[in-house]
Amino acid sequence: MNVTAALANTAWLAASLPAAWRFRRALSDPGTTQTQLLRRLLTRHADTAYGRAHNFATLSNYAEFARRVPLNTYEDLSPWITRVQQGEPNVLTRDPVTHLIPTSGSTSARKLIPFTAALQSEFNAAIGPWIVDLFTRAPSLLFGPAYWSVSPLARNTAEQASAIPVGFADDSDYLGGARARLVSSVLAAPSTLRHLANLDDFRYVTLLCLLRQSDLRLISVWHPSFLSLLLDALPTNWSALLTDLRHGTCGRSASLPASVLSSLGLRPCPTRSDQLAAANPHHPHSLWPALRVVSCWGDAHAASSVDALRARLPGVIVQPKGLLATEAFVTLPFGGTHPLALCSHFFEFLADDATVLRAHELNVGQTYEVIVTTGGGLWRYRLGDRVEVTGHLARTPTLRFLGRSGQVSDLRGEKLSEAFVARAFAAAVASLGKPPRFLMLAPSPASTPPHYTIFLEADFPPLPFTAALEQALRENPHYALCRDLGQLGPVQVQAIAGGGYERYTTAEISRGARLGEIKPVALSLRTDWHQHFALTHAASDVLRR
């Protein structure tokens, strides 16, 4: 047993008990819980610029709130957020905005989401019940360290002027205060590793830290492919890792920043090196016999990767995470299912017929788009995520994430929208000065690693265009991260010798579309376009130039 980890985990569990108790009690009355939460939000933020513009002070019930306050996209709220970014107080919330958190946008490369102490409390209102449920179901997690990967390999990109800090200095800042310190004390790998710019260095040092932990109990990542790719690096680095374990060294030290190197706490571990000498790096489940739980995404496009991870780690519980976005905590693992985080934010749900329903009005088997109102200043915000109601826990709906609303591709968490891809195309074409005759991007998920393919009919060599498009796509921080981590391969080109639009039209008609309703798209979610745009010898010659 790791005494330090046991004490910290026990303290974190104790701190989470009140939130878990409130959540469990609220499950039986989601309508009242949500009504009270909305009333508190309206009262607290009535004297903000947004509250005055929509007469929050006069709103006495949900019906008036829904009539007076419009549904919003990020673009609708962007002018208000710009005022926040410029340092104006009391715009969307009464609480000071401590940070602006970057995430992928739909029509722009990036959104900046206001983060406040109230929003942090709302996140903790969901994290608390999840942690209590997790430790209750797997008590041995209390007695050992964990590996938490929240936003590894953060990139420092050029920021526009902002009076508010953009992003967090450390991932654990999402929790805040004592909880952040408790989590940091049980980490198997220091959070400083996210500053490593070289991916091979990042994976090597992360594995070195994890292999030191014979009693590693929990691994929490986002997309399961992140962990799979990390484990893939074990065999090729195995001998060097064992040597570094034995001698307390790091073979990558020459390329590591001093701050990262000092945070590793290198020390000789001959006993652990001897334990692993007879182990097989191709069978990672044998390396950490105390590992009990891997937490990761498990819905939508992540489902197949979860199955592969389960096969690779027999005997380990692979727990699908709830639906968690930068903007809001929507569902959490609890009671063997994923109920709505009804103590965190005020939720509404948009049905296919444009009807807006509240949490207690949802129907099992139906699908909805999530709308959220938060203490961070997002009012009736269309999150862009679609969910299916799978049942109820007590009287609270349980939900399954289906994917993004609209034309959005999300193989590994990159969230590429058609509007953003169209803007990236425009930027890439402008760099060449000559438009193509046909141009479309589509995912190629069956390759290893998956990537995106450009279907291109043009008079110019495709490679410069591909490079320009790749650069434009990387303006999306999630796409850039997936590329840097190796979860996505580089964009590839399938050149079309001629008749690109005709082939596209023929394919759409074969799927039942009417000729009059067919229009070109910048981004198609279909994965069978390779067979419709057969690569000719002439096109192959162009690709080689």
PDB file of all heavy atoms in Angstrom, residues 115-131:
ATOM      1  N   PHE A 115     -14.405  30.902 -17.511  1.00  0.00           N
ATOM      2  CA  PHE A 115     -14.329  30.002 -16.364  1.00  0.00           C
ATOM      3  C   PHE A 115     -14.355  30.834 -15.096  1.00  0.00           C
ATOM      4  O   PHE A 115     -13.571  31.780 -14.954  1.00  0.00           O
ATOM      5  CB  PHE A 115     -13.052  29.163 -16.421  1.00  0.00           C
ATOM      6  CG  PHE A 115     -13.051  27.982 -15.488  1.00  0.00           C
ATOM      7  CD1 PHE A 115     -13.569  26.772 -15.888  1.00  0.00           C
ATOM      8  CD2 PHE A 115     -12.535  28.098 -14.202  1.00  0.00           C
ATOM      9  CE1 PHE A 115     -13.570  25.672 -15.030  1.00  0.00           C
ATOM     10  CE2 PHE A 115     -12.531  27.025 -13.335  1.00  0.00           C
ATOM     11  CZ  PHE A 115     -13.046  25.794 -13.756  1.00  0.00           C
ATOM     12  N   THR A 116     -15.249  30.489 -14.186  1.00  0.00           N
ATOM     13  CA  THR A 116     -15.409  31.219 -12.926  1.00  0.00           C
ATOM     14  C   THR A 116     -15.373  30.243 -11.755  1.00  0.00           C
ATOM     15  O   THR A 116     -15.445  29.025 -11.940  1.00  0.00           O
ATOM     16  CB  THR A 116     -16.757  31.973 -12.903  1.00  0.00           C
ATOM     17  OG1 THR A 116     -17.828  30.999 -12.896  1.00  0.00           O
ATOM     18  CG2 THR A 116     -16.910  32.873 -14.133  1.00  0.00           C
ATOM     19  N   ALA A 117     -15.305  30.802 -10.559  1.00  0.00           N
ATOM     20  CA  ALA A 117     -15.348  29.956  -9.368  1.00  0.00           C
ATOM     21  C   ALA A 117     -16.664  29.207  -9.288  1.00  0.00           C
ATOM     22  O   ALA A 117     -16.720  28.054  -8.836  1.00  0.00           O
ATOM     23  CB  ALA A 117     -15.145  30.818  -8.116  1.00  0.00           C
ATOM     24  N   ALA A 118     -17.757  29.839  -9.729  1.00  0.00           N
ATOM     25  CA  ALA A 118     -19.059  29.171  -9.713  1.00  0.00           C
ATOM     26  C   ALA A 118     -19.079  27.985 -10.666  1.00  0.00           C
ATOM     27  O   ALA A 118     -19.620  26.918 -10.347  1.00  0.00           O
ATOM     28  CB  ALA A 118     -20.157  30.166 -10.086  1.00  0.00           C
ATOM     29  N   LEU A 119     -18.480  28.149 -11.853  1.00  0.00           N
ATOM     30  CA  LEU A 119     -18.426  27.030 -12.795  1.00  0.00           C
ATOM     31  C   LEU A 119     -17.567  25.901 -12.237  1.00  0.00           C
ATOM     32  O   LEU A 119     -17.894  24.718 -12.392  1.00  0.00           O
ATOM     33  CB  LEU A 119     -17.879  27.504 -14.144  1.00  0.00           C
ATOM     34  CG  LEU A 119     -17.834  26.449 -15.252  1.00  0.00           C
ATOM     35  CD1 LEU A 119     -19.223  25.922 -15.565  1.00  0.00           C
ATOM     36  CD2 LEU A 119     -17.188  27.024 -16.515  1.00  0.00           C
ATOM     37  N   GLN A 120     -16.494  26.265 -11.558  1.00  0.00           N
ATOM     38  CA  GLN A 120     -15.653  25.251 -10.924  1.00  0.00           C
ATOM     39  C   GLN A 120     -16.457  24.468  -9.892  1.00  0.00           C
ATOM     40  O   GLN A 120     -16.350  23.228  -9.810  1.00  0.00           O
ATOM     41  CB  GLN A 120     -14.450  25.920 -10.267  1.00  0.00           C
ATOM     42  CG  GLN A 120     -13.413  24.963  -9.724  1.00  0.00           C
ATOM     43  CD  GLN A 120     -12.175  25.712  -9.272  1.00  0.00           C
ATOM     44  OE1 GLN A 120     -12.202  26.377  -8.245  1.00  0.00           O
ATOM     45  NE2 GLN A 120     -11.103  25.606 -10.035  1.00  0.00           N
ATOM     46  N   SER A 121     -17.275  25.150  -9.117  1.00  0.00           N
ATOM     47  CA  SER A 121     -18.127  24.474  -8.126  1.00  0.00           C
ATOM     48  C   SER A 121     -19.136  23.561  -8.809  1.00  0.00           C
ATOM     49  O   SER A 121     -19.449  22.473  -8.299  1.00  0.00           O
ATOM     50  CB  SER A 121     -18.859  25.509  -7.265  1.00  0.00           C
ATOM     51  OG  SER A 121     -17.952  26.266  -6.493  1.00  0.00           O
ATOM     52  N   GLU A 122     -19.643  23.996  -9.968  1.00  0.00           N
ATOM     53  CA  GLU A 122     -20.594  23.169 -10.704  1.00  0.00           C
ATOM     54  C   GLU A 122     -19.917  21.892 -11.215  1.00  0.00           C
ATOM     55  O   GLU A 122     -20.515  20.815 -11.190  1.00  0.00           O
ATOM     56  CB  GLU A 122     -21.190  23.968 -11.865  1.00  0.00           C
ATOM     57  CG  GLU A 122     -22.103  25.091 -11.411  1.00  0.00           C
ATOM     58  CD  GLU A 122     -22.621  25.947 -12.557  1.00  0.00           C
ATOM     59  OE1 GLU A 122     -22.195  25.719 -13.715  1.00  0.00           O
ATOM     60  OE2 GLU A 122     -23.450  26.838 -12.302  1.00  0.00           O
ATOM     61  N   PHE A 123     -18.671  22.000 -11.675  1.00  0.00           N
ATOM     62  CA  PHE A 123     -17.934  20.813 -12.095  1.00  0.00           C
ATOM     63  C   PHE A 123     -17.724  19.872 -10.902  1.00  0.00           C
ATOM     64  O   PHE A 123     -17.883  18.657 -11.022  1.00  0.00           O
ATOM     65  CB  PHE A 123     -16.594  21.217 -12.708  1.00  0.00           C
ATOM     66  CG  PHE A 123     -16.657  21.493 -14.183  1.00  0.00           C
ATOM     67  CD1 PHE A 123     -17.468  22.485 -14.693  1.00  0.00           C
ATOM     68  CD2 PHE A 123     -15.911  20.747 -15.073  1.00  0.00           C
ATOM     69  CE1 PHE A 123     -17.539  22.743 -16.045  1.00  0.00           C
ATOM     70  CE2 PHE A 123     -15.976  20.991 -16.444  1.00  0.00           C
ATOM     71  CZ  PHE A 123     -16.784  21.991 -16.928  1.00  0.00           C
ATOM     72  N   ASN A 124     -17.334  20.438  -9.755  1.00  0.00           N
ATOM     73  CA  ASN A 124     -17.095  19.609  -8.578  1.00  0.00           C
ATOM     74  C   ASN A 124     -18.371  18.936  -8.087  1.00  0.00           C
ATOM     75  O   ASN A 124     -18.309  17.867  -7.459  1.00  0.00           O
ATOM     76  CB  ASN A 124     -16.480  20.449  -7.464  1.00  0.00           C
ATOM     77  CG  ASN A 124     -15.010  20.759  -7.715  1.00  0.00           C
ATOM     78  OD1 ASN A 124     -14.326  20.017  -8.401  1.00  0.00           O
ATOM     79  ND2 ASN A 124     -14.535  21.869  -7.180  1.00  0.00           N
ATOM     80  N   ALA A 125     -19.522  19.540  -8.362  1.00  0.00           N
ATOM     81  CA  ALA A 125     -20.793  18.926  -7.977  1.00  0.00           C
ATOM     82  C   ALA A 125     -21.044  17.635  -8.738  1.00  0.00           C
ATOM     83  O   ALA A 125     -21.844  16.795  -8.300  1.00  0.00           O
ATOM     84  CB  ALA A 125     -21.947  19.912  -8.218  1.00  0.00           C
ATOM     85  N   ALA A 126     -20.368  17.452  -9.880  1.00  0.00           N
ATOM     86  CA  ALA A 126     -20.464  16.196 -10.635  1.00  0.00           C
ATOM     87  C   ALA A 126     -19.271  15.291 -10.366  1.00  0.00           C
ATOM     88  O   ALA A 126     -19.414  14.066 -10.277  1.00  0.00           O
ATOM     89  CB  ALA A 126     -20.568  16.487 -12.127  1.00  0.00           C
ATOM     90  N   ILE A 127     -18.083  15.888 -10.218  1.00  0.00           N
ATOM     91  CA  ILE A 127     -16.894  15.080  -9.957  1.00  0.00           C
ATOM     92  C   ILE A 127     -17.001  14.370  -8.609  1.00  0.00           C
ATOM     93  O   ILE A 127     -16.615  13.208  -8.473  1.00  0.00           O
ATOM     94  CB  ILE A 127     -15.631  15.962 -10.014  1.00  0.00           C
ATOM     95  CG1 ILE A 127     -15.418  16.486 -11.437  1.00  0.00           C
ATOM     96  CG2 ILE A 127     -14.398  15.192  -9.552  1.00  0.00           C
ATOM     97  CD1 ILE A 127     -14.319  17.519 -11.561  1.00  0.00           C
ATOM     98  N   GLY A 128     -17.567  15.048  -7.616  1.00  0.00           N
ATOM     99  CA  GLY A 128     -17.706  14.458  -6.279  1.00  0.00           C
ATOM    100  C   GLY A 128     -18.465  13.146  -6.289  1.00  0.00           C
ATOM    101  O   GLY A 128     -17.961  12.111  -5.803  1.00  0.00           O
ATOM    102  N   PRO A 129     -19.692  13.115  -6.822  1.00  0.00           N
ATOM    103  CA  PRO A 129     -20.432  11.850  -6.864  1.00  0.00           C
ATOM    104  C   PRO A 129     -19.713  10.766  -7.669  1.00  0.00           C
ATOM    105  O   PRO A 129     -19.753   9.585  -7.308  1.00  0.00           O
ATOM    106  CB  PRO A 129     -21.752  12.235  -7.533  1.00  0.00           C
ATOM    107  CG  PRO A 129     -21.894  13.688  -7.301  1.00  0.00           C
ATOM    108  CD  PRO A 129     -20.509  14.243  -7.269  1.00  0.00           C
ATOM    109  N   TRP A 130     -19.056  11.166  -8.762  1.00  0.00           N
ATOM    110  CA  TRP A 130     -18.339  10.180  -9.564  1.00  0.00           C
ATOM    111  C   TRP A 130     -17.211   9.555  -8.752  1.00  0.00           C
ATOM    112  O   TRP A 130     -17.030   8.329  -8.762  1.00  0.00           O
ATOM    113  CB  TRP A 130     -17.785  10.840 -10.827  1.00  0.00           C
ATOM    114  CG  TRP A 130     -16.856   9.955 -11.614  1.00  0.00           C
ATOM    115  CD1 TRP A 130     -17.073   8.655 -11.974  1.00  0.00           C
ATOM    116  CD2 TRP A 130     -15.546  10.292 -12.091  1.00  0.00           C
ATOM    117  NE1 TRP A 130     -15.980   8.167 -12.674  1.00  0.00           N
ATOM    118  CE2 TRP A 130     -15.038   9.142 -12.757  1.00  0.00           C
ATOM    119  CE3 TRP A 130     -14.777  11.457 -12.048  1.00  0.00           C
ATOM    120  CZ2 TRP A 130     -13.785   9.133 -13.354  1.00  0.00           C
ATOM    121  CZ3 TRP A 130     -13.525  11.440 -12.652  1.00  0.00           C
ATOM    122  CH2 TRP A 130     -13.049  10.287 -13.290  1.00  0.00           C
ATOM    123  N   ILE A 131     -16.434  10.370  -8.042  1.00  0.00           N
ATOM    124  CA  ILE A 131     -15.308   9.853  -7.264  1.00  0.00           C
ATOM    125  C   ILE A 131     -15.803   8.925  -6.152  1.00  0.00           C
ATOM    126  O   ILE A 131     -15.228   7.850  -5.907  1.00  0.00           O
ATOM    127  CB  ILE A 131     -14.481  11.018  -6.682  1.00  0.00           C
ATOM    128  CG1 ILE A 131     -13.736  11.727  -7.812  1.00  0.00           C
ATOM    129  CG2 ILE A 131     -13.507  10.525  -5.630  1.00  0.00           C
ATOM    130  CD1 ILE A 131     -12.788  10.839  -8.594  1.00  0.00           C
TER     131      ILE A 131
END
